[in-house]
Short mmCIF file of all heavy atoms in Angstrom, two decimals:
data_model
loop_
_atom_site.label_atom_id
_atom_site.label_comp_id
_atom_site.label_asym_id
_atom_site.label_seq_id
_atom_site.Cartn_x
_atom_site.Cartn_y
_atom_site.Cartn_z
N VAL A 22 -3.57 -4.10 15.12
CA VAL A 22 -4.52 -5.19 15.01
C VAL A 22 -4.23 -6.25 16.12
O VAL A 22 -3.04 -6.52 16.38
CB VAL A 22 -4.49 -5.94 13.61
CG1 VAL A 22 -5.25 -7.23 13.66
CG2 VAL A 22 -4.88 -4.97 12.56
N LYS A 23 -5.24 -6.66 16.75
CA LYS A 23 -5.11 -7.73 17.78
C LYS A 23 -6.20 -8.82 17.63
O LYS A 23 -7.35 -8.46 17.48
CB LYS A 23 -5.20 -7.21 19.17
CG LYS A 23 -5.11 -8.27 20.29
CD LYS A 23 -3.78 -8.78 20.41
CE LYS A 23 -3.71 -10.11 21.24
NZ LYS A 23 -2.42 -10.66 21.30
N THR A 24 -5.77 -10.06 17.46
CA THR A 24 -6.79 -11.16 17.38
C THR A 24 -6.44 -12.20 18.37
O THR A 24 -5.20 -12.47 18.59
CB THR A 24 -6.87 -11.69 15.94
OG1 THR A 24 -7.79 -12.76 15.99
CG2 THR A 24 -5.52 -12.27 15.47
N TYR A 25 -7.45 -12.75 19.06
CA TYR A 25 -7.16 -13.87 19.96
C TYR A 25 -7.44 -15.23 19.34
O TYR A 25 -6.76 -16.18 19.71
CB TYR A 25 -8.09 -13.70 21.19
CG TYR A 25 -7.72 -12.52 22.10
CD1 TYR A 25 -8.35 -11.36 22.02
CD2 TYR A 25 -6.56 -12.64 22.84
CE1 TYR A 25 -8.01 -10.27 22.82
CE2 TYR A 25 -6.13 -11.59 23.63
CZ TYR A 25 -6.85 -10.36 23.61
OH TYR A 25 -6.48 -9.31 24.39
N ASP A 26 -8.39 -15.30 18.38
CA ASP A 26 -8.69 -16.61 17.87
C ASP A 26 -8.25 -16.73 16.37
O ASP A 26 -8.49 -17.82 15.80
CB ASP A 26 -10.21 -16.87 18.00
CG ASP A 26 -11.07 -15.79 17.29
OD1 ASP A 26 -10.48 -14.93 16.64
OD2 ASP A 26 -12.26 -15.82 17.48
N GLY A 27 -7.69 -15.72 15.78
CA GLY A 27 -7.24 -15.76 14.47
C GLY A 27 -8.31 -15.45 13.45
O GLY A 27 -8.09 -15.43 12.24
N ARG A 28 -9.59 -15.31 13.92
CA ARG A 28 -10.63 -15.04 12.96
C ARG A 28 -11.24 -13.63 13.12
O ARG A 28 -11.33 -12.86 12.14
CB ARG A 28 -11.73 -16.06 13.08
CG ARG A 28 -11.37 -17.46 12.51
CD ARG A 28 -12.66 -18.33 12.37
NE ARG A 28 -13.27 -18.54 13.66
CZ ARG A 28 -12.93 -19.57 14.45
NH1 ARG A 28 -12.02 -20.37 14.12
NH2 ARG A 28 -13.54 -19.69 15.60
N THR A 29 -11.54 -13.32 14.40
CA THR A 29 -12.15 -12.00 14.63
C THR A 29 -11.10 -11.12 15.27
O THR A 29 -10.32 -11.57 16.07
CB THR A 29 -13.36 -12.07 15.59
OG1 THR A 29 -13.05 -12.87 16.65
CG2 THR A 29 -14.52 -12.65 14.82
N ASN A 30 -11.10 -9.86 14.96
CA ASN A 30 -10.08 -8.97 15.52
C ASN A 30 -10.68 -8.17 16.70
O ASN A 30 -11.68 -7.46 16.51
CB ASN A 30 -9.64 -7.97 14.40
CG ASN A 30 -8.85 -8.63 13.36
OD1 ASN A 30 -8.37 -9.78 13.55
ND2 ASN A 30 -8.57 -7.96 12.26
N ALA A 31 -10.09 -8.34 17.84
CA ALA A 31 -10.47 -7.61 19.06
C ALA A 31 -10.19 -6.13 18.85
O ALA A 31 -10.92 -5.27 19.25
CB ALA A 31 -9.80 -8.14 20.23
N VAL A 32 -9.01 -5.89 18.25
CA VAL A 32 -8.69 -4.57 17.84
C VAL A 32 -8.43 -4.62 16.32
O VAL A 32 -7.69 -5.44 15.85
CB VAL A 32 -7.44 -4.00 18.52
CG1 VAL A 32 -7.01 -2.61 18.02
CG2 VAL A 32 -7.72 -3.92 20.08
N ASP A 33 -9.11 -3.71 15.61
CA ASP A 33 -9.14 -3.99 14.18
C ASP A 33 -8.74 -2.74 13.37
O ASP A 33 -9.50 -1.98 12.86
CB ASP A 33 -10.64 -4.34 13.81
CG ASP A 33 -10.76 -4.84 12.39
OD1 ASP A 33 -9.72 -5.13 11.78
OD2 ASP A 33 -11.94 -4.94 11.91
N GLY A 34 -7.38 -2.46 13.34
CA GLY A 34 -6.84 -1.42 12.53
C GLY A 34 -6.97 -0.05 13.17
O GLY A 34 -7.53 0.89 12.58
N VAL A 35 -6.53 0.11 14.39
CA VAL A 35 -6.58 1.39 15.12
C VAL A 35 -5.35 2.21 14.78
O VAL A 35 -4.24 1.76 14.97
CB VAL A 35 -6.74 1.13 16.60
CG1 VAL A 35 -6.55 2.44 17.36
CG2 VAL A 35 -8.15 0.59 16.94
N SER A 36 -5.63 3.44 14.30
CA SER A 36 -4.51 4.41 14.06
C SER A 36 -4.90 5.70 14.87
O SER A 36 -6.01 6.11 14.82
CB SER A 36 -4.40 4.73 12.59
OG SER A 36 -4.02 3.57 11.89
N LEU A 37 -3.88 6.13 15.62
CA LEU A 37 -4.15 7.27 16.49
C LEU A 37 -2.79 7.95 16.84
O LEU A 37 -1.75 7.24 17.10
CB LEU A 37 -4.80 6.73 17.75
CG LEU A 37 -5.10 7.70 18.84
CD1 LEU A 37 -6.15 8.67 18.41
CD2 LEU A 37 -5.64 6.94 20.12
N ASP A 38 -2.81 9.35 16.79
CA ASP A 38 -1.67 10.04 17.25
C ASP A 38 -1.97 10.74 18.52
O ASP A 38 -3.04 11.42 18.63
CB ASP A 38 -1.33 11.11 16.14
CG ASP A 38 -0.64 10.50 14.95
OD1 ASP A 38 -0.34 9.24 15.04
OD2 ASP A 38 -0.49 11.18 13.92
N ILE A 39 -1.10 10.70 19.44
CA ILE A 39 -1.23 11.32 20.75
C ILE A 39 -0.15 12.30 20.97
O ILE A 39 1.07 11.97 20.78
CB ILE A 39 -1.41 10.35 21.88
CG1 ILE A 39 -2.60 9.42 21.56
CG2 ILE A 39 -1.50 10.98 23.24
CD1 ILE A 39 -2.64 8.24 22.48
N ARG A 40 -0.47 13.54 21.37
CA ARG A 40 0.58 14.60 21.55
C ARG A 40 1.24 14.43 22.94
O ARG A 40 0.61 13.93 23.88
CB ARG A 40 -0.04 15.93 21.36
CG ARG A 40 -0.56 16.25 20.02
CD ARG A 40 -1.09 17.72 19.93
NE ARG A 40 -2.18 17.92 20.90
CZ ARG A 40 -3.48 17.75 20.53
NH1 ARG A 40 -3.74 17.19 19.36
NH2 ARG A 40 -4.41 17.93 21.38
N ARG A 41 2.38 14.96 23.07
CA ARG A 41 3.05 15.03 24.37
C ARG A 41 2.20 15.84 25.38
O ARG A 41 1.73 16.97 25.02
CB ARG A 41 4.45 15.66 24.19
CG ARG A 41 5.32 15.45 25.44
CD ARG A 41 6.66 16.27 25.29
NE ARG A 41 7.57 15.62 24.33
CZ ARG A 41 8.48 14.68 24.59
NH1 ARG A 41 8.51 14.19 25.81
NH2 ARG A 41 9.24 14.21 23.68
N GLY A 42 2.00 15.31 26.52
CA GLY A 42 1.32 16.01 27.57
C GLY A 42 -0.19 15.91 27.47
O GLY A 42 -0.95 16.45 28.35
N GLU A 43 -0.66 15.30 26.43
CA GLU A 43 -2.12 15.18 26.24
C GLU A 43 -2.77 14.23 27.18
O GLU A 43 -2.18 13.26 27.67
CB GLU A 43 -2.38 14.72 24.83
CG GLU A 43 -3.83 14.95 24.38
CD GLU A 43 -4.05 14.67 22.90
OE1 GLU A 43 -3.18 13.96 22.25
OE2 GLU A 43 -5.14 15.06 22.41
N PHE A 44 -4.07 14.55 27.62
CA PHE A 44 -4.86 13.58 28.38
C PHE A 44 -5.92 13.10 27.43
O PHE A 44 -6.87 13.88 27.11
CB PHE A 44 -5.47 14.30 29.59
CG PHE A 44 -6.11 13.46 30.57
CD1 PHE A 44 -5.59 13.34 31.87
CD2 PHE A 44 -7.17 12.59 30.30
CE1 PHE A 44 -6.13 12.51 32.82
CE2 PHE A 44 -7.75 11.73 31.19
CZ PHE A 44 -7.21 11.69 32.53
N ILE A 45 -5.80 11.83 27.02
CA ILE A 45 -6.77 11.29 26.06
C ILE A 45 -7.50 10.12 26.76
O ILE A 45 -6.94 9.37 27.45
CB ILE A 45 -6.07 10.87 24.73
CG1 ILE A 45 -7.16 10.48 23.70
CG2 ILE A 45 -5.09 9.67 25.02
CD1 ILE A 45 -6.55 10.40 22.31
N THR A 46 -8.78 10.07 26.46
CA THR A 46 -9.58 9.00 27.09
C THR A 46 -10.00 7.99 26.01
O THR A 46 -10.42 8.47 24.94
CB THR A 46 -10.85 9.59 27.75
OG1 THR A 46 -10.42 10.51 28.76
CG2 THR A 46 -11.75 8.52 28.35
N PHE A 47 -9.88 6.74 26.29
CA PHE A 47 -10.46 5.63 25.42
C PHE A 47 -11.81 5.32 25.90
O PHE A 47 -11.92 4.81 27.09
CB PHE A 47 -9.59 4.40 25.41
CG PHE A 47 -8.30 4.52 24.71
CD1 PHE A 47 -7.89 5.74 24.12
CD2 PHE A 47 -7.38 3.45 24.61
CE1 PHE A 47 -6.71 5.80 23.43
CE2 PHE A 47 -6.22 3.54 23.94
CZ PHE A 47 -5.80 4.73 23.36
N LEU A 48 -12.80 5.62 25.23
CA LEU A 48 -14.21 5.43 25.71
C LEU A 48 -14.93 4.42 24.82
O LEU A 48 -14.78 4.46 23.61
CB LEU A 48 -14.94 6.75 25.74
CG LEU A 48 -16.42 6.77 26.10
CD1 LEU A 48 -16.55 6.37 27.58
CD2 LEU A 48 -17.10 8.11 25.79
N GLY A 49 -15.66 3.50 25.43
CA GLY A 49 -16.37 2.56 24.72
C GLY A 49 -17.04 1.53 25.54
O GLY A 49 -16.68 1.39 26.66
N PRO A 50 -17.98 0.81 25.00
CA PRO A 50 -18.64 -0.30 25.73
C PRO A 50 -17.61 -1.43 25.94
O PRO A 50 -16.55 -1.44 25.33
CB PRO A 50 -19.80 -0.75 24.83
CG PRO A 50 -19.41 -0.33 23.50
CD PRO A 50 -18.54 0.89 23.58
N SER A 51 -17.96 -2.32 26.86
CA SER A 51 -16.99 -3.44 27.09
C SER A 51 -16.93 -4.35 25.92
O SER A 51 -17.92 -4.51 25.16
CB SER A 51 -17.46 -4.27 28.30
OG SER A 51 -18.77 -4.78 28.02
N GLY A 52 -15.69 -4.77 25.55
CA GLY A 52 -15.46 -5.53 24.38
C GLY A 52 -15.27 -4.69 23.12
O GLY A 52 -15.23 -5.29 21.99
N SER A 53 -15.10 -3.40 23.28
CA SER A 53 -14.89 -2.58 22.14
C SER A 53 -13.41 -2.42 21.76
O SER A 53 -13.09 -1.88 20.71
CB SER A 53 -15.48 -1.21 22.38
OG SER A 53 -14.83 -0.56 23.46
N GLY A 54 -12.54 -3.01 22.56
CA GLY A 54 -11.08 -3.02 22.12
C GLY A 54 -10.27 -1.96 22.90
O GLY A 54 -9.11 -1.88 22.71
N LYS A 55 -10.93 -1.21 23.75
CA LYS A 55 -10.20 -0.11 24.40
C LYS A 55 -9.12 -0.61 25.33
O LYS A 55 -7.95 -0.12 25.36
CB LYS A 55 -11.12 0.94 25.02
CG LYS A 55 -12.01 0.33 26.11
CD LYS A 55 -13.09 1.25 26.54
CE LYS A 55 -13.84 0.90 27.78
NZ LYS A 55 -14.45 -0.45 27.72
N THR A 56 -9.48 -1.54 26.21
CA THR A 56 -8.46 -2.07 27.17
C THR A 56 -7.40 -2.86 26.43
O THR A 56 -6.20 -2.80 26.80
CB THR A 56 -9.23 -2.96 28.22
OG1 THR A 56 -10.04 -2.09 29.00
CG2 THR A 56 -8.21 -3.62 29.17
N THR A 57 -7.81 -3.66 25.45
CA THR A 57 -6.86 -4.47 24.69
C THR A 57 -5.81 -3.51 24.07
O THR A 57 -4.57 -3.80 24.13
CB THR A 57 -7.50 -5.27 23.60
OG1 THR A 57 -8.50 -5.99 24.21
CG2 THR A 57 -6.57 -6.19 22.92
N THR A 58 -6.27 -2.35 23.52
CA THR A 58 -5.35 -1.42 22.88
C THR A 58 -4.34 -0.86 24.00
O THR A 58 -3.18 -0.79 23.80
CB THR A 58 -6.11 -0.27 22.31
OG1 THR A 58 -7.04 -0.77 21.42
CG2 THR A 58 -5.20 0.71 21.63
N LEU A 59 -4.96 -0.57 25.22
CA LEU A 59 -4.08 -0.05 26.32
C LEU A 59 -3.00 -1.14 26.68
O LEU A 59 -1.88 -0.79 26.91
CB LEU A 59 -4.94 0.28 27.52
CG LEU A 59 -4.30 1.08 28.58
CD1 LEU A 59 -4.33 2.58 28.13
CD2 LEU A 59 -5.01 0.87 29.92
N MET A 60 -3.49 -2.44 26.76
CA MET A 60 -2.56 -3.47 27.10
C MET A 60 -1.48 -3.69 26.07
O MET A 60 -0.36 -4.04 26.43
CB MET A 60 -3.34 -4.81 27.39
CG MET A 60 -4.31 -4.79 28.52
SD MET A 60 -3.32 -4.52 30.05
CE MET A 60 -4.46 -3.58 31.13
N MET A 61 -1.80 -3.37 24.85
CA MET A 61 -0.74 -3.49 23.79
C MET A 61 0.28 -2.32 23.89
O MET A 61 1.49 -2.49 23.75
CB MET A 61 -1.35 -3.52 22.39
CG MET A 61 -2.03 -4.77 22.06
SD MET A 61 -2.50 -4.96 20.32
CE MET A 61 -3.98 -4.02 20.28
N ILE A 62 -0.20 -1.16 24.27
CA ILE A 62 0.68 -0.03 24.48
C ILE A 62 1.63 -0.31 25.69
O ILE A 62 2.85 -0.09 25.65
CB ILE A 62 -0.11 1.23 24.76
CG1 ILE A 62 -0.94 1.60 23.50
CG2 ILE A 62 0.88 2.45 25.04
CD1 ILE A 62 -1.90 2.76 23.72
N ALA A 63 1.02 -0.96 26.74
CA ALA A 63 1.85 -1.26 27.97
C ALA A 63 2.78 -2.42 27.66
O ALA A 63 3.81 -2.54 28.31
CB ALA A 63 0.93 -1.66 29.11
N GLY A 64 2.46 -3.27 26.57
CA GLY A 64 3.33 -4.38 26.24
C GLY A 64 2.85 -5.75 26.89
O GLY A 64 3.63 -6.71 26.71
N PHE A 65 1.66 -5.77 27.44
CA PHE A 65 1.19 -7.01 28.06
C PHE A 65 0.55 -7.92 26.90
O PHE A 65 0.43 -9.10 27.12
CB PHE A 65 0.16 -6.74 29.14
CG PHE A 65 0.69 -5.89 30.27
CD1 PHE A 65 -0.02 -4.84 30.73
CD2 PHE A 65 1.99 -6.12 30.76
CE1 PHE A 65 0.47 -4.03 31.69
CE2 PHE A 65 2.44 -5.31 31.71
CZ PHE A 65 1.73 -4.26 32.23
N GLU A 66 0.15 -7.35 25.85
CA GLU A 66 -0.39 -8.11 24.73
C GLU A 66 0.47 -7.78 23.50
O GLU A 66 0.86 -6.72 23.24
CB GLU A 66 -1.83 -7.73 24.46
CG GLU A 66 -2.78 -7.93 25.60
CD GLU A 66 -3.28 -9.32 25.77
OE1 GLU A 66 -2.84 -10.20 25.01
OE2 GLU A 66 -4.04 -9.53 26.72
N ALA A 67 0.72 -8.89 22.69
CA ALA A 67 1.50 -8.65 21.54
C ALA A 67 0.53 -8.22 20.34
O ALA A 67 -0.67 -8.52 20.41
CB ALA A 67 2.15 -9.99 21.08
N LEU A 68 1.09 -7.48 19.43
CA LEU A 68 0.30 -7.02 18.30
C LEU A 68 0.29 -8.13 17.23
O LEU A 68 1.27 -8.85 17.10
CB LEU A 68 0.98 -5.77 17.66
CG LEU A 68 0.73 -4.44 18.32
CD1 LEU A 68 1.60 -4.31 19.62
CD2 LEU A 68 1.14 -3.32 17.39
#
Side-chain angles (χ1 to χ4, degrees):
Chain A
V22 172
K23 175 72 193 177
T24 177
Y25 289 103
D26 57 7
R28 285 196 300 272
T29 49
N30 290 347
V32 175
D33 192 12
V35 166
S36 295
L37 178 66
D38 287 350
I39 297 168
R40 295 183 299 274
R41 193 186 288 272
E43 194 174 14
F44 193 116
I45 188 163
T46 299
F47 289 1
L48 177 68
S51 61
S53 60
K55 56 191 192 307
T56 294
T57 307
T58 305
L59 195 80
M60 291 297 146
M61 286 191 283
I62 297 170
F65 303 134
E66 300 279 1
L68 281 73

